[in-house]
Amino acid sequence: MQSRAPYVVPWTGETVAAGKTVVSEHGVAYANPVQDGFYRAWDGILWTLSGGTRSGSPVYARELHPYRQREAMDRLLCAGCNGSPSRDERGVLWLLPLLDDAEDTVWEGVQTVIPPMCVPCKTKATQSCPRLRDGHVELRVKEAEKIGVRGTLYPPPGVEGKPDPDALVLFDSPDEGRVIARQLVRELRDVTVVTFAASTP
Ligand SMILES: [Zn+2]
């Protein structure tokens, strides 16, 4: 069963942690410059540290693995197998868990950290992933722009307050330099709702 866990799901053998950081007028940085260089993306955004190996068991309740999520989301690869997602004339296949206020959800323009999927992985994921088993929507999406990241947002130097552990920071916003990113976010547009599935026991 475990080998069937989707590619982006983290494992108990894996760790994610923010390293020792310093915040200056230039933004947030890792105190260790080697670490900083390694985890800073080409666009200047700093990413969370990750370690360990895909061992133990998959953890569906945790955020998607930051490295594999970013890879799949950036390159538009399937969240399940890291291959090509399914495409047809309505666009790319996206499978999302239903939100709490599902009845009123407007899927056009929804912002998500979940990468697209292929049809074989869709079937497997609806069986293996508890969040999808609790209900999901299947979409076809023509446009999915990368709009920003989710992560920990540090206050500017001299400003009191704790970091916001789960902030959405848009690209080119003034907050961009003060975030340690964990997930890449895309906004889905020109969306066709294919089907809803309610909770399955
Ligand atoms: Zn797949």
Side-chain angles (χ1 to χ4, degrees):
M1 282 295 280
Q2 290 181 357
S3 62
R4 293 171 61 194
Y7 179 72
V8 294
V9 167
W11 288 67
T12 50
E14 293 180 310
T15 55
V16 171
K20 196 167 180 304
T21 55
V22 284
V23 181
S24 71
E25 74 267 29
H26 304 299
V28 64
Y30 288 128
N32 178 337
V34 175
Q35 226 166 32
D36 194 85
F38 193 75
Y39 283 95
R40 196 173 288 280
W42 64 270
D43 57 7
I45 292 186
L46 195 58
W47 281 77
T48 191
L49 310 182
S50 54
T53 55
R54 287 169 84 184
S55 58
S57 48
V59 191
Y60 288 95
R62 224 189 263 166
E63 230 170 26
L64 302 180
H65 188 272
Y67 178 81
R68 296 195 294 278
Q69 189 273 350
R70 178 178 154 206
E71 179 194 21
M73 199 58 141
D74 186 38
R75 297 171 59 197
L76 277 185
L77 298 172
C78 172
C81 66
N82 203 31
S84 296
S86 299
R87 275 173 212 271
D88 65 13
E89 68 287 351
R90 296 164 301 175
V92 174
L93 170 64
W94 239 281
L95 198 66
L96 299 180
L98 291 183
L99 308 174
D100 293 339
D101 51 355
E103 302 244 323
D104 305 325
T105 303
V106 178
W107 296 100
E108 180 65 37
V110 74
Q111 298 170 347
T112 187
V113 299
I114 300 177
M117 270 204 184
C118 70
V119 169
C121 286
K122 177 189 86 173
T123 310
K124 283 188 229 162
T126 51
Q127 293 160 359
S128 65
C129 174
R131 284 182 63 202
L132 294 172
R133 275 206 307 265
D134 282 349
H136 58 264
V137 61
E138 183 180 331
L139 308 173
R140 288 284 176 165
V141 177
K142 283 196 174 154
E143 244 187 89
E145 191 190 344
K146 287 180 262 188
I147 58 159
V149 294
R150 290 205 84 90
T152 301
L153 179 63
Y154 289 76
V159 174
E160 292 284 318
K162 285 191 180 145
D164 176 351
D166 189 27
L168 170 65
V169 173
L170 299 177
F171 291 135
D172 299 325
S173 80
D175 293 341
E176 209 182 38
R178 284 183 289 103
V179 69
I180 294 187
R182 294 189 307 271
Q183 310 270 285
L184 180 60
V185 181
R186 284 185 186 261
E187 185 171 298
L188 310 187
R189 298 185 207 127
D190 210 342
V191 170
T192 304
V193 177
V194 178
T195 172
F196 282 100
S199 173
T200 49

